[in-house]
Amino acid sequence: MKLSKSYFADERDDDLVEVGQSRQRSDIRGHVTGKTAYFGDRTFPGLLHLKMVRSPHHHARIKRIDTSEAEKHPGVARIVTANDVPHNLYTILILIQVGPEDEHVLAVDKVRWKGEAVVAVLADTARAAEEAAAKVKVDYEVLDPVLSIEDALNPGAPIVNEHHGRNYYLYDSGECRKVRFGNVEEGFASADHILEETYQSGPIEHAPLETSGCIVAPEANGRFTCYTNTQAMFFTLDNASIILQMPGHKLHMVGGTVGGGFGGKVDVTIEPIAILAAKLTGRPVSFIYSREEEMQVSSPRAAEKLVIKDGVMNDGRIVARQVTAYIDAGAYSRHSPYGAQKSAAHFPGPYTIPNVSVDSYCVYTNRTPSSAMRGFGVTIGDFALEVQMDKLARKIGMDPLEFRFINAYRDGDMKAHRQLTEGAALIECMQEVSIIADWPVDERFMAMSSRTREN
Amino acid sequence: MAKVPVQFTLNGSERAEFVESGATLLTTLRDRMGDTSPKGGCHQGTCGACTVMVDGELRLSCLTLAETCEGADVRTTAGLANGEVLTPVQRAFEDAFAAQCGFCTPGMIMAATALLERNPKPDRAEVIEAISGNVCRCTGYEPIIRAVLSAARANSTSAA
């Protein structure tokens, strides 16, 4: 691989020596000898195993919960229900004022997705906990589910989440996050061609090899030590503190090596209930997702539906881009209002387009709550935008790489969300790609620079 | 619940435990014998993170009952190194950056070790076949394949 150091040479010391060099990981010795300690490698005397009773329905009213048979099961130490949770309503990003609280730790009155936590069972062995969980009787009145973005936004659709009162997140900018730049209607009117396409994606599970989990040990000093593989230690600490109504200094969160995360371990679905269980029983508690739970219950990347409309000139300039994005949050917000907001800023892509209009909706459905995953809010958008770029190039009979040179953003360009472009280097990257991929472009593109514009 | 005795050799040491009837080799190694190098990624025999060797054969310890290992020779990644001296496979994994999160690594290393014991000079296709039962979700398969091939080369060089 060639490392070009010339581009930003005047902005930094040219001391990059690592790229292209083989280096050992600092933690590799533990990995190859099996000594690396993951949270689940700990054992505690008297450890209790937590098994969650989950909703078998997408959307249902809880009429009655009967735990009497489960309580009698040999080895059961405690059954935890919604009434045991001190503040049984939360949303992760309330820490940065992205409310309202919209999710229960254990379901109250209603379940809103298939897999929602209803009752927690604690027993001496994982097997006893599982057997007892099967004996918890929950009577449900099944409600009509909302299973797609289209259904959710239909007038008269059942309300998925009463804490929002509507099937989309209400931003301070209204029913969606909006970006307005120039005038897209004028742009479309002046365009030689219009292309409108719809792109859709399904949820994607991270599937880390180590499932999500934690082990909580009550300490003699009244604190609780929580060994966890969370990727978001302070989200977990602060949300646990709110949910448990327990000051932060009572909670000692211990992280460590995580056996794969990819964004799938930033939610707060495990630690608060496990800490509560340890408090209620006075015993150490292990709550580790089964593989089935990891695949079915942990948050996936959101499903998205993107409608992209572009106005393009015969000479290759994109003169208007309108995007309507729908991000399927599932039943609860978690990180999706942020993901939808991020998508809105991102949608013009790395291109300078004079007229842009973006509406990004965060939509609630009775599906598994979605959340963070590697570039969430952006990755699916990039797929759609680049497919759209190829389609646009074909429409006007232009080479797809040359088409991108024409529209590439350059230093000093104002982006649609009012951030000045700095340090773009997109032109230079594409020039290198043209050479490496043996995909020649016209010499005028090879003469371009991200730092200047040719008249 | 009645416990049953199990006795086998773990990485060269005689070990004996009373376990619940039906306990897996994985939980016995991890929870009773303190060897946490085999990992539980799925507990249903699909991910390979729990891979160990029993009497020289690769086994998924999550699907192996401890009782069936009576008198056997059980080997895990924790027992490969001789003090600070790593095996060629372990050294190759270090040098080739063949691990990211590390959770699949002990299982991968057992699969690679078993391969090289029965086939000291595998080709690329044979390496891929040998690790096909081990999932790596950080998707670092290429460095792992390179590491195993490099370990095979190191073996043949030192043997020569």
PDB file of all heavy atoms in Angstrom, chain A residues 126-158:
ATOM      1  N   ALA A 126     -28.662 -22.211  36.146  1.00  0.00           N
ATOM      2  CA  ALA A 126     -29.262 -21.679  34.922  1.00  0.00           C
ATOM      3  C   ALA A 126     -30.452 -22.551  34.506  1.00  0.00           C
ATOM      4  O   ALA A 126     -31.473 -22.054  34.042  1.00  0.00           O
ATOM      5  CB  ALA A 126     -28.212 -21.640  33.812  1.00  0.00           C
ATOM      6  N   ARG A 127     -30.286 -23.856  34.728  1.00  0.00           N
ATOM      7  CA  ARG A 127     -31.352 -24.774  34.345  1.00  0.00           C
ATOM      8  C   ARG A 127     -32.623 -24.538  35.173  1.00  0.00           C
ATOM      9  O   ARG A 127     -33.724 -24.472  34.626  1.00  0.00           O
ATOM     10  CB  ARG A 127     -30.852 -26.210  34.542  1.00  0.00           C
ATOM     11  CG  ARG A 127     -31.890 -27.255  34.240  1.00  0.00           C
ATOM     12  CD  ARG A 127     -31.252 -28.626  34.332  1.00  0.00           C
ATOM     13  NE  ARG A 127     -32.269 -29.673  34.303  1.00  0.00           N
ATOM     14  CZ  ARG A 127     -31.975 -30.958  34.313  1.00  0.00           C
ATOM     15  NH1 ARG A 127     -30.715 -31.347  34.352  1.00  0.00           N
ATOM     16  NH2 ARG A 127     -32.918 -31.862  34.281  1.00  0.00           N
ATOM     17  N   ALA A 128     -32.456 -24.378  36.500  1.00  0.00           N
ATOM     18  CA  ALA A 128     -33.622 -24.144  37.358  1.00  0.00           C
ATOM     19  C   ALA A 128     -34.294 -22.820  36.977  1.00  0.00           C
ATOM     20  O   ALA A 128     -35.529 -22.713  36.971  1.00  0.00           O
ATOM     21  CB  ALA A 128     -33.204 -24.135  38.825  1.00  0.00           C
ATOM     22  N   ALA A 129     -33.489 -21.803  36.654  1.00  0.00           N
ATOM     23  CA  ALA A 129     -34.057 -20.503  36.278  1.00  0.00           C
ATOM     24  C   ALA A 129     -34.876 -20.634  34.994  1.00  0.00           C
ATOM     25  O   ALA A 129     -35.967 -20.062  34.864  1.00  0.00           O
ATOM     26  CB  ALA A 129     -32.940 -19.478  36.091  1.00  0.00           C
ATOM     27  N   GLU A 130     -34.363 -21.405  34.072  1.00  0.00           N
ATOM     28  CA  GLU A 130     -35.058 -21.594  32.800  1.00  0.00           C
ATOM     29  C   GLU A 130     -36.359 -22.369  33.002  1.00  0.00           C
ATOM     30  O   GLU A 130     -37.403 -22.014  32.464  1.00  0.00           O
ATOM     31  CB  GLU A 130     -34.142 -22.334  31.827  1.00  0.00           C
ATOM     32  CG  GLU A 130     -34.559 -22.207  30.396  1.00  0.00           C
ATOM     33  CD  GLU A 130     -33.376 -22.378  29.443  1.00  0.00           C
ATOM     34  OE1 GLU A 130     -32.245 -21.985  29.802  1.00  0.00           O
ATOM     35  OE2 GLU A 130     -33.595 -22.906  28.367  1.00  0.00           O
ATOM     36  N   GLU A 131     -36.272 -23.427  33.799  1.00  0.00           N
ATOM     37  CA  GLU A 131     -37.487 -24.227  34.058  1.00  0.00           C
ATOM     38  C   GLU A 131     -38.546 -23.394  34.776  1.00  0.00           C
ATOM     39  O   GLU A 131     -39.733 -23.459  34.445  1.00  0.00           O
ATOM     40  CB  GLU A 131     -37.118 -25.454  34.907  1.00  0.00           C
ATOM     41  CG  GLU A 131     -36.316 -26.503  34.128  1.00  0.00           C
ATOM     42  CD  GLU A 131     -35.685 -27.563  35.036  1.00  0.00           C
ATOM     43  OE1 GLU A 131     -35.656 -27.371  36.276  1.00  0.00           O
ATOM     44  OE2 GLU A 131     -35.206 -28.564  34.479  1.00  0.00           O
ATOM     45  N   ALA A 132     -38.119 -22.594  35.754  1.00  0.00           N
ATOM     46  CA  ALA A 132     -39.073 -21.783  36.517  1.00  0.00           C
ATOM     47  C   ALA A 132     -39.669 -20.688  35.634  1.00  0.00           C
ATOM     48  O   ALA A 132     -40.862 -20.372  35.734  1.00  0.00           O
ATOM     49  CB  ALA A 132     -38.390 -21.173  37.736  1.00  0.00           C
ATOM     50  N   ALA A 133     -38.839 -20.112  34.763  1.00  0.00           N
ATOM     51  CA  ALA A 133     -39.338 -19.055  33.867  1.00  0.00           C
ATOM     52  C   ALA A 133     -40.477 -19.592  33.004  1.00  0.00           C
ATOM     53  O   ALA A 133     -41.449 -18.878  32.714  1.00  0.00           O
ATOM     54  CB  ALA A 133     -38.205 -18.516  32.995  1.00  0.00           C
ATOM     55  N   ALA A 134     -40.373 -20.861  32.631  1.00  0.00           N
ATOM     56  CA  ALA A 134     -41.424 -21.465  31.805  1.00  0.00           C
ATOM     57  C   ALA A 134     -42.714 -21.628  32.593  1.00  0.00           C
ATOM     58  O   ALA A 134     -43.791 -21.826  32.006  1.00  0.00           O
ATOM     59  CB  ALA A 134     -40.950 -22.815  31.263  1.00  0.00           C
ATOM     60  N   LYS A 135     -42.637 -21.542  33.911  1.00  0.00           N
ATOM     61  CA  LYS A 135     -43.842 -21.707  34.744  1.00  0.00           C
ATOM     62  C   LYS A 135     -44.503 -20.375  35.094  1.00  0.00           C
ATOM     63  O   LYS A 135     -45.536 -20.367  35.762  1.00  0.00           O
ATOM     64  CB  LYS A 135     -43.476 -22.452  36.031  1.00  0.00           C
ATOM     65  CG  LYS A 135     -43.112 -23.918  35.792  1.00  0.00           C
ATOM     66  CD  LYS A 135     -42.879 -24.617  37.117  1.00  0.00           C
ATOM     67  CE  LYS A 135     -42.663 -26.124  36.890  1.00  0.00           C
ATOM     68  NZ  LYS A 135     -42.302 -26.803  38.154  1.00  0.00           N
ATOM     69  N   VAL A 136     -43.898 -19.272  34.721  1.00  0.00           N
ATOM     70  CA  VAL A 136     -44.539 -17.967  34.947  1.00  0.00           C
ATOM     71  C   VAL A 136     -45.677 -17.835  33.947  1.00  0.00           C
ATOM     72  O   VAL A 136     -45.478 -18.006  32.744  1.00  0.00           O
ATOM     73  CB  VAL A 136     -43.536 -16.806  34.774  1.00  0.00           C
ATOM     74  CG1 VAL A 136     -44.251 -15.461  34.820  1.00  0.00           C
ATOM     75  CG2 VAL A 136     -42.448 -16.883  35.843  1.00  0.00           C
ATOM     76  N   LYS A 137     -46.884 -17.563  34.468  1.00  0.00           N
ATOM     77  CA  LYS A 137     -48.048 -17.460  33.578  1.00  0.00           C
ATOM     78  C   LYS A 137     -48.390 -15.980  33.365  1.00  0.00           C
ATOM     79  O   LYS A 137     -48.600 -15.237  34.325  1.00  0.00           O
ATOM     80  CB  LYS A 137     -49.244 -18.172  34.205  1.00  0.00           C
ATOM     81  CG  LYS A 137     -49.061 -19.683  34.350  1.00  0.00           C
ATOM     82  CD  LYS A 137     -50.396 -20.356  34.656  1.00  0.00           C
ATOM     83  CE  LYS A 137     -50.182 -21.797  35.114  1.00  0.00           C
ATOM     84  NZ  LYS A 137     -49.960 -21.903  36.586  1.00  0.00           N
ATOM     85  N   VAL A 138     -48.407 -15.580  32.130  1.00  0.00           N
ATOM     86  CA  VAL A 138     -48.798 -14.205  31.801  1.00  0.00           C
ATOM     87  C   VAL A 138     -49.989 -14.275  30.848  1.00  0.00           C
ATOM     88  O   VAL A 138     -49.907 -14.926  29.800  1.00  0.00           O
ATOM     89  CB  VAL A 138     -47.639 -13.425  31.139  1.00  0.00           C
ATOM     90  CG1 VAL A 138     -48.033 -11.969  30.910  1.00  0.00           C
ATOM     91  CG2 VAL A 138     -46.372 -13.509  31.982  1.00  0.00           C
ATOM     92  N   ASP A 139     -51.089 -13.668  31.253  1.00  0.00           N
ATOM     93  CA  ASP A 139     -52.265 -13.604  30.364  1.00  0.00           C
ATOM     94  C   ASP A 139     -52.176 -12.322  29.549  1.00  0.00           C
ATOM     95  O   ASP A 139     -52.047 -11.233  30.114  1.00  0.00           O
ATOM     96  CB  ASP A 139     -53.555 -13.598  31.177  1.00  0.00           C
ATOM     97  CG  ASP A 139     -53.797 -14.934  31.850  1.00  0.00           C
ATOM     98  OD1 ASP A 139     -53.184 -15.935  31.402  1.00  0.00           O
ATOM     99  OD2 ASP A 139     -54.565 -14.977  32.824  1.00  0.00           O
ATOM    100  N   TYR A 140     -52.257 -12.485  28.250  1.00  0.00           N
ATOM    101  CA  TYR A 140     -52.160 -11.327  27.357  1.00  0.00           C
ATOM    102  C   TYR A 140     -53.467 -11.129  26.590  1.00  0.00           C
ATOM    103  O   TYR A 140     -54.151 -12.101  26.253  1.00  0.00           O
ATOM    104  CB  TYR A 140     -51.064 -11.545  26.310  1.00  0.00           C
ATOM    105  CG  TYR A 140     -49.657 -11.592  26.847  1.00  0.00           C
ATOM    106  CD1 TYR A 140     -49.008 -12.815  27.032  1.00  0.00           C
ATOM    107  CD2 TYR A 140     -48.962 -10.422  27.124  1.00  0.00           C
ATOM    108  CE1 TYR A 140     -47.703 -12.862  27.493  1.00  0.00           C
ATOM    109  CE2 TYR A 140     -47.656 -10.472  27.587  1.00  0.00           C
ATOM    110  CZ  TYR A 140     -47.032 -11.694  27.764  1.00  0.00           C
ATOM    111  OH  TYR A 140     -45.733 -11.741  28.212  1.00  0.00           O
ATOM    112  N   GLU A 141     -53.803  -9.886  26.311  1.00  0.00           N
ATOM    113  CA  GLU A 141     -54.838  -9.583  25.317  1.00  0.00           C
ATOM    114  C   GLU A 141     -54.072  -9.050  24.099  1.00  0.00           C
ATOM    115  O   GLU A 141     -53.477  -7.973  24.151  1.00  0.00           O
ATOM    116  CB  GLU A 141     -55.791  -8.514  25.867  1.00  0.00           C
ATOM    117  CG  GLU A 141     -56.832  -8.066  24.862  1.00  0.00           C
ATOM    118  CD  GLU A 141     -57.508  -6.766  25.323  1.00  0.00           C
ATOM    119  OE1 GLU A 141     -57.390  -6.400  26.526  1.00  0.00           O
ATOM    120  OE2 GLU A 141     -58.123  -6.101  24.464  1.00  0.00           O
ATOM    121  N   VAL A 142     -54.066  -9.860  23.048  1.00  0.00           N
ATOM    122  CA  VAL A 142     -53.237  -9.511  21.898  1.00  0.00           C
ATOM    123  C   VAL A 142     -53.823  -8.298  21.172  1.00  0.00           C
ATOM    124  O   VAL A 142     -55.029  -8.224  20.936  1.00  0.00           O
ATOM    125  CB  VAL A 142     -53.106 -10.717  20.947  1.00  0.00           C
ATOM    126  CG1 VAL A 142     -52.322 -10.345  19.700  1.00  0.00           C
ATOM    127  CG2 VAL A 142     -52.435 -11.880  21.669  1.00  0.00           C
ATOM    128  N   LEU A 143     -52.976  -7.344  20.863  1.00  0.00           N
ATOM    129  CA  LEU A 143     -53.389  -6.123  20.150  1.00  0.00           C
ATOM    130  C   LEU A 143     -52.838  -6.169  18.723  1.00  0.00           C
ATOM    131  O   LEU A 143     -51.895  -6.893  18.428  1.00  0.00           O
ATOM    132  CB  LEU A 143     -52.825  -4.887  20.870  1.00  0.00           C
ATOM    133  CG  LEU A 143     -53.231  -4.719  22.338  1.00  0.00           C
ATOM    134  CD1 LEU A 143     -52.452  -3.572  22.974  1.00  0.00           C
ATOM    135  CD2 LEU A 143     -54.737  -4.485  22.474  1.00  0.00           C
ATOM    136  N   ASP A 144     -53.442  -5.355  17.855  1.00  0.00           N
ATOM    137  CA  ASP A 144     -52.946  -5.275  16.484  1.00  0.00           C
ATOM    138  C   ASP A 144     -51.513  -4.731  16.501  1.00  0.00           C
ATOM    139  O   ASP A 144     -51.267  -3.681  17.083  1.00  0.00           O
ATOM    140  CB  ASP A 144     -53.821  -4.326  15.645  1.00  0.00           C
ATOM    141  CG  ASP A 144     -55.127  -4.995  15.257  1.00  0.00           C
ATOM    142  OD1 ASP A 144     -55.182  -6.248  15.323  1.00  0.00           O
ATOM    143  OD2 ASP A 144     -56.080  -4.277  14.922  1.00  0.00           O
ATOM    144  N   PRO A 145     -50.591  -5.426  15.870  1.00  0.00           N
ATOM    145  CA  PRO A 145     -49.217  -4.910  15.832  1.00  0.00           C
ATOM    146  C   PRO A 145     -48.996  -3.966  14.655  1.00  0.00           C
ATOM    147  O   PRO A 145     -49.685  -4.048  13.635  1.00  0.00           O
ATOM    148  CB  PRO A 145     -48.387  -6.178  15.663  1.00  0.00           C
ATOM    149  CG  PRO A 145     -49.266  -7.107  14.888  1.00  0.00           C
ATOM    150  CD  PRO A 145     -50.704  -6.756  15.219  1.00  0.00           C
ATOM    151  N   VAL A 146     -48.021  -3.094  14.811  1.00  0.00           N
ATOM    152  CA  VAL A 146     -47.571  -2.219  13.727  1.00  0.00           C
ATOM    153  C   VAL A 146     -46.189  -2.730  13.332  1.00  0.00           C
ATOM    154  O   VAL A 146     -45.246  -2.624  14.093  1.00  0.00           O
ATOM    155  CB  VAL A 146     -47.487  -0.756  14.214  1.00  0.00           C
ATOM    156  CG1 VAL A 146     -46.903   0.122  13.134  1.00  0.00           C
ATOM    157  CG2 VAL A 146     -48.859  -0.261  14.646  1.00  0.00           C
ATOM    158  N   LEU A 147     -46.083  -3.324  12.162  1.00  0.00           N
ATOM    159  CA  LEU A 147     -44.850  -4.052  11.835  1.00  0.00           C
ATOM    160  C   LEU A 147     -44.059  -3.445  10.682  1.00  0.00           C
ATOM    161  O   LEU A 147     -43.072  -4.026  10.232  1.00  0.00           O
ATOM    162  CB  LEU A 147     -45.170  -5.524  11.540  1.00  0.00           C
ATOM    163  CG  LEU A 147     -45.735  -6.293  12.748  1.00  0.00           C
ATOM    164  CD1 LEU A 147     -46.138  -7.704  12.352  1.00  0.00           C
ATOM    165  CD2 LEU A 147     -44.743  -6.314  13.896  1.00  0.00           C
ATOM    166  N   SER A 148     -44.486  -2.295  10.171  1.00  0.00           N
ATOM    167  CA  SER A 148     -43.703  -1.664   9.119  1.00  0.00           C
ATOM    168  C   SER A 148     -43.774  -0.151   9.266  1.00  0.00           C
ATOM    169  O   SER A 148     -44.677   0.389   9.917  1.00  0.00           O
ATOM    170  CB  SER A 148     -44.216  -2.077   7.736  1.00  0.00           C
ATOM    171  OG  SER A 148     -45.460  -1.452   7.486  1.00  0.00           O
ATOM    172  N   ILE A 149     -42.808   0.499   8.655  1.00  0.00           N
ATOM    173  CA  ILE A 149     -42.762   1.962   8.673  1.00  0.00           C
ATOM    174  C   ILE A 149     -44.041   2.530   8.047  1.00  0.00           C
ATOM    175  O   ILE A 149     -44.652   3.468   8.576  1.00  0.00           O
ATOM    176  CB  ILE A 149     -41.505   2.439   7.909  1.00  0.00           C
ATOM    177  CG1 ILE A 149     -40.256   2.143   8.735  1.00  0.00           C
ATOM    178  CG2 ILE A 149     -41.610   3.904   7.557  1.00  0.00           C
ATOM    179  CD1 ILE A 149     -38.956   2.154   7.942  1.00  0.00           C
ATOM    180  N   GLU A 150     -44.454   1.927   6.925  1.00  0.00           N
ATOM    181  CA  GLU A 150     -45.650   2.412   6.238  1.00  0.00           C
ATOM    182  C   GLU A 150     -46.877   2.310   7.151  1.00  0.00           C
ATOM    183  O   GLU A 150     -47.659   3.252   7.270  1.00  0.00           O
ATOM    184  CB  GLU A 150     -45.910   1.605   4.956  1.00  0.00           C
ATOM    185  CG  GLU A 150     -44.907   1.848   3.842  1.00  0.00           C
ATOM    186  CD  GLU A 150     -43.622   1.037   3.993  1.00  0.00           C
ATOM    187  OE1 GLU A 150     -43.457   0.322   5.004  1.00  0.00           O
ATOM    188  OE2 GLU A 150     -42.772   1.136   3.083  1.00  0.00           O
ATOM    189  N   ASP A 151     -47.038   1.133   7.803  1.00  0.00           N
ATOM    190  CA  ASP A 151     -48.184   0.949   8.697  1.00  0.00           C
ATOM    191  C   ASP A 151     -48.132   1.947   9.847  1.00  0.00           C
ATOM    192  O   ASP A 151     -49.163   2.475  10.271  1.00  0.00           O
ATOM    193  CB  ASP A 151     -48.206  -0.478   9.262  1.00  0.00           C
ATOM    194  CG  ASP A 151     -48.612  -1.498   8.202  1.00  0.00           C
ATOM    195  OD1 ASP A 151     -49.023  -1.067   7.101  1.00  0.00           O
ATOM    196  OD2 ASP A 151     -48.505  -2.714   8.478  1.00  0.00           O
ATOM    197  N   ALA A 152     -46.932   2.184  10.368  1.00  0.00           N
ATOM    198  CA  ALA A 152     -46.803   3.070  11.523  1.00  0.00           C
ATOM    199  C   ALA A 152     -47.267   4.482  11.203  1.00  0.00           C
ATOM    200  O   ALA A 152     -47.869   5.163  12.045  1.00  0.00           O
ATOM    201  CB  ALA A 152     -45.350   3.093  11.993  1.00  0.00           C
ATOM    202  N   LEU A 153     -46.996   4.933   9.983  1.00  0.00           N
ATOM    203  CA  LEU A 153     -47.301   6.320   9.629  1.00  0.00           C
ATOM    204  C   LEU A 153     -48.691   6.473   9.019  1.00  0.00           C
ATOM    205  O   LEU A 153     -49.111   7.589   8.699  1.00  0.00           O
ATOM    206  CB  LEU A 153     -46.224   6.871   8.685  1.00  0.00           C
ATOM    207  CG  LEU A 153     -44.820   6.932   9.309  1.00  0.00           C
ATOM    208  CD1 LEU A 153     -43.798   7.435   8.304  1.00  0.00           C
ATOM    209  CD2 LEU A 153     -44.815   7.809  10.562  1.00  0.00           C
ATOM    210  N   ASN A 154     -49.424   5.348   8.854  1.00  0.00           N
ATOM    211  CA  ASN A 154     -50.806   5.444   8.388  1.00  0.00           C
ATOM    212  C   ASN A 154     -51.647   6.177   9.419  1.00  0.00           C
ATOM    213  O   ASN A 154     -51.583   5.854  10.595  1.00  0.00           O
ATOM    214  CB  ASN A 154     -51.410   4.037   8.209  1.00  0.00           C
ATOM    215  CG  ASN A 154     -51.336   3.562   6.774  1.00  0.00           C
ATOM    216  OD1 ASN A 154     -51.105   4.363   5.873  1.00  0.00           O
ATOM    217  ND2 ASN A 154     -51.514   2.268   6.579  1.00  0.00           N
ATOM    218  N   PRO A 155     -52.449   7.148   8.973  1.00  0.00           N
ATOM    219  CA  PRO A 155     -53.356   7.775   9.934  1.00  0.00           C
ATOM    220  C   PRO A 155     -54.281   6.678  10.487  1.00  0.00           C
ATOM    221  O   PRO A 155     -54.721   5.810   9.761  1.00  0.00           O
ATOM    222  CB  PRO A 155     -54.157   8.772   9.069  1.00  0.00           C
ATOM    223  CG  PRO A 155     -53.365   8.936   7.815  1.00  0.00           C
ATOM    224  CD  PRO A 155     -52.606   7.663   7.609  1.00  0.00           C
ATOM    225  N   GLY A 156     -54.503   6.700  11.775  1.00  0.00           N
ATOM    226  CA  GLY A 156     -55.352   5.681  12.375  1.00  0.00           C
ATOM    227  C   GLY A 156     -54.612   4.425  12.778  1.00  0.00           C
ATOM    228  O   GLY A 156     -55.211   3.459  13.247  1.00  0.00           O
ATOM    229  N   ALA A 157     -53.287   4.408  12.596  1.00  0.00           N
ATOM    230  CA  ALA A 157     -52.499   3.255  13.040  1.00  0.00           C
ATOM    231  C   ALA A 157     -52.557   3.168  14.563  1.00  0.00           C
ATOM    232  O   ALA A 157     -52.625   4.194  15.240  1.00  0.00           O
ATOM    233  CB  ALA A 157     -51.049   3.399  12.576  1.00  0.00           C
ATOM    234  N   PRO A 158     -52.520   1.943  15.113  1.00  0.00           N
ATOM    235  CA  PRO A 158     -52.448   1.823  16.575  1.00  0.00           C
ATOM    236  C   PRO A 158     -51.202   2.543  17.081  1.00  0.00           C
ATOM    237  O   PRO A 158     -50.176   2.556  16.401  1.00  0.00           O
ATOM    238  CB  PRO A 158     -52.324   0.310  16.805  1.00  0.00           C
ATOM    239  CG  PRO A 158     -52.743  -0.341  15.528  1.00  0.00           C
ATOM    240  CD  PRO A 158     -52.485   0.636  14.432  1.00  0.00           C
TER     241      PRO A 158
END
